[in-house]
């Protein structure tokens, strides 16, 4: 006890602090989400995500090369689907020549070693902006799972290293794993969004992909019948253990900052790698406050990413990947 113990002795200067520091960030900790659009020479800034862009495939190549040169080893791909290709079943999602399938090949052509993960989800393809097929105002579980498994297979065929289902339907990991095994894709992994909360922090992402639930009669306005209730903690463990049992190689908690207690609970419970998604609303908050001069952008970015890692993340999907990698190099 004091004065024998004076904790400030080990905080005297930066050399001393670095000696006893418990957690570090490296570019290996970051996965870069990438938004992709049809067209040529397109780099469109997302209004609610200043400094973040949608890329056409030609410009995607350059971006991926730059990420690799900064030490970022993985990307998570999302596509903005043209309005006329959307329907209730997500048929375009399994088009072997679809935007996602071409994007996977484009990334692999640019940097073959890059670990490519793909968003397996119906919402960008859904005319209703939901993660499942809808009938009579209800999101069907088992029918949606079949469509998602076919989508995962299509991504595997195009060359994805891991597929990343983000839908929160029940049982999709099992059905997906079985289909991948059956079709010979035994080394295609699954990163499951296992504890994905029904969060209001996804707003800017839905702007980026134009994928928000539509405003129409008999269409649920939110995703609360499949994404998790932010009030729940035990349920996150149940969801995650089930996904691991069904064959998930990596599990994810999403969003980040408000859910770090969940990250630690899961870290203490499971023995597979844990990913955390620092989502679009978390990005937007930092951008908006620092634009106003209310927060110091770079310091806050590194503090949040360090906190996510300290909570138990093995890596973080973050829109700050490129910037943070530059800051720490
Ligand atoms: N499947 C991805 C999302 O639902 C949202 C991510 C974000 O808000 O950044
Ligand atoms: Mg689940």
């Amino acid at each position: 006890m004091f004065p024998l113990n004076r904790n400030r002795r080990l905080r005297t200067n930066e050399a001393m602090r670095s000696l006893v520091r418990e957690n570090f960030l490296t570019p290996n900790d970051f996965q870069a989400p990438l938004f992709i659009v049809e067209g040529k020479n397109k780099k469109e800034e997302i209004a609610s995500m200043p400094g973040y862009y949608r890329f056409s495939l030609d410009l995607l190549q350059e971006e991926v090369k730059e990420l690799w040169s900064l030490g970022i080893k993985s990307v998570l791909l999302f596509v903005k689907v043209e309005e006329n290709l959307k329907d209730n079943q997500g048929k375009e999602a399994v088009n072997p020549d679809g935007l996602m399938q071409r994007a996977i090949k484009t990334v692999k052509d640019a940097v073959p070693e890059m670990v490519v993960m793909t968003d397996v989800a119906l919402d960008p393809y859904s005319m209703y902006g939901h993660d499942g097929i809808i009938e009579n105002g209800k999101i069907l579980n088992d029918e949606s799972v079949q469509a998602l498994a076919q989508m995962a297979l299509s991504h595997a065929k195009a060359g994805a290293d891991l597929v990343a289902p983000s839908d929160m339907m029940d049982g999709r990991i099992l059905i997906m794993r079985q289909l991948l095994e059956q079709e010979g894709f035994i080394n295609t992994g699954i990163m499951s969004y296992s504890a994905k909360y029904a969060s209001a922090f996804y707003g800017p992402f839905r702007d980026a992909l134009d994928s928000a639930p539509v405003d129409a009669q008999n269409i649920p306005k939110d995703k609360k019948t499949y994404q998790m209730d932010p009030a729940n903690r035990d349920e996150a463990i149940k969801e995650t253990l089930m996904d691991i049992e069904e064959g998930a190689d990596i599990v994810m908690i999403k969003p980040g900052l408000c859910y770090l207690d969940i990250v630690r609970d899961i870290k203490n419970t499971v023995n597979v790698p844990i990913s955390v998604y620092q989502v679009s609303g978390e990005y937007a908050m930092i951008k908006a406050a620092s634009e106003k001069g209310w927060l110091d952008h770079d310091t806050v970015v590194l503090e949040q990413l360090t906190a996510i890692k300290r909570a138990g993340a093995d890596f973080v999907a973050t829109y700050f990947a490129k910037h943070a990698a530059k800051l720490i190099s």
Side-chain angles (χ1 to χ4, degrees):
M1 64 161 150
F2 181 85
L4 301 182
N5 256 317
R6 285 181 183 270
N7 295 333
R8 292 183 56 194
R9 284 180 201 129
L10 298 182
R11 295 177 203 143
T12 316
N13 55 45
E14 178 51 24
M16 182 70 81
R17 290 190 293 273
S18 71
L19 210 57
V20 297
R21 188 161 291 140
E22 297 175 37
N23 289 283
F24 296 89
L25 292 173
T26 83
N28 296 329
D29 296 323
F30 310 139
Q31 177 180 47
L34 291 172
F35 298 132
I36 300 145
V37 274
E38 284 290 3
K40 279 217 172 3
N41 201 27
K42 282 195 180 154
K43 183 179 174 183
E44 308 169 340
E45 189 168 26
I46 296 144
S48 48
M49 298 179 71
Y52 217 76
Y53 302 88
R54 287 180 287 254
F55 293 95
S56 55
L57 293 179
D58 49 343
L59 299 190
L60 182 65
Q61 290 229 337
E62 299 314 305
E63 183 69 8
V64 168
K65 284 181 187 160
E66 192 186 348
L67 290 170
W68 185 261
S69 74
L70 289 165
I72 291 161
K73 311 284 192 332
S74 179
V75 293
L76 181 56
L77 304 183
F78 297 93
V79 290
K80 183 173 190 291
V81 179
E82 314 256 284
E83 218 49 48
N84 64 326
L85 296 175
K86 297 184 182 183
D87 60 21
N88 187 24
Q89 333 286 330
K91 281 198 275 303
E92 173 62 15
V94 295
N95 177 357
D97 209 26
L99 185 55
M100 176 62 92
Q101 289 77 0
R102 279 177 285 134
I104 296 166
K105 291 177 189 137
T106 302
V107 175
K108 282 290 182 186
D109 281 348
V111 182
E113 305 93 321
M114 184 66 93
V115 177
V116 176
M117 304 199 199
T118 56
D119 186 47
V120 174
L122 286 170
D123 52 327
Y125 297 92
S126 161
M127 60 198 279
Y128 301 124
H130 272 287
D131 299 44
I133 298 166
I134 299 195
E135 210 175 87
N136 300 326
K138 297 257 187 301
I139 289 106
L140 304 178
N141 192 85
D142 299 8
E143 292 77 354
S144 302
V145 166
Q146 292 301 331
L148 290 160
Q150 293 299 332
M151 190 187 310
L153 176 62
S154 169
H155 294 181
K157 285 181 177 166
D161 296 296
L162 286 95
V163 292
S166 62
D167 52 284
M168 290 298 281
M169 297 300 127
D170 291 321
R172 88 273 209 223
I173 303 301
L174 179 67
I175 302 299
M176 219 167 265
R177 186 69 264 160
Q178 285 175 338
L179 183 63
L180 289 171
E181 294 295 310
Q182 191 185 309
E183 296 289 326
F185 291 93
I186 57 171
N187 290 321
T188 305
I190 301 178
M191 175 169 80
S192 173
Y193 289 60
S194 20
K196 178 174 180 176
Y197 284 86
S199 169
F201 285 97
Y202 307 147
F205 174 94
R206 291 174 188 169
D207 294 342
L209 295 190
D210 191 20
S211 63
V214 298
D215 205 4
Q217 215 192 346
N218 214 20
I219 298 299
K221 299 288 172 292
D222 59 51
K223 300 189 173 184
K224 291 178 185 172
T225 70
Y226 44 103
Q227 297 177 352
M228 282 181 56
D229 183 339
N232 292 357
R233 191 167 169 181
D234 295 339
E235 192 190 13
I237 296 175
K238 182 186 183 202
E239 282 280 6
T240 305
L241 289 175
M242 282 178 71
D243 283 1
I244 294 170
E245 210 158 67
E246 290 177 26
D249 300 282
I250 300 172
V251 293
M252 186 203 277
I253 295 104
K254 175 182 173 183
L257 201 57
C258 295
Y259 297 86
L260 295 186
D261 56 329
I262 311 298
V263 176
R264 177 44 60 177
D265 280 346
I266 289 175
K267 180 68 179 172
N268 289 344
T269 309
V270 309
N271 56 7
V272 302
I274 294 172
S275 150
V276 170
Y277 202 140
Q278 183 192 44
V279 301
S280 58
E282 300 179 68
Y283 176 89
M285 280 199 299
I286 294 180
K287 288 290 168 188
S290 53
E291 266 174 24
K292 283 194 174 269
W294 294 346
L295 287 176
D296 181 59
H297 182 272
D298 293 352
T299 317
V300 168
V301 166
L302 295 181
E303 183 178 333
Q304 287 205 14
L305 291 170
T306 303
I308 292 171
K309 199 173 171 193
R310 189 199 64 228
D314 292 282
F315 64 93
V316 189
T318 170
Y319 303 103
F320 293 113
K322 191 158 126 180
H323 187 67
K326 285 181 189 165
L327 288 176
I328 60 178
S329 65

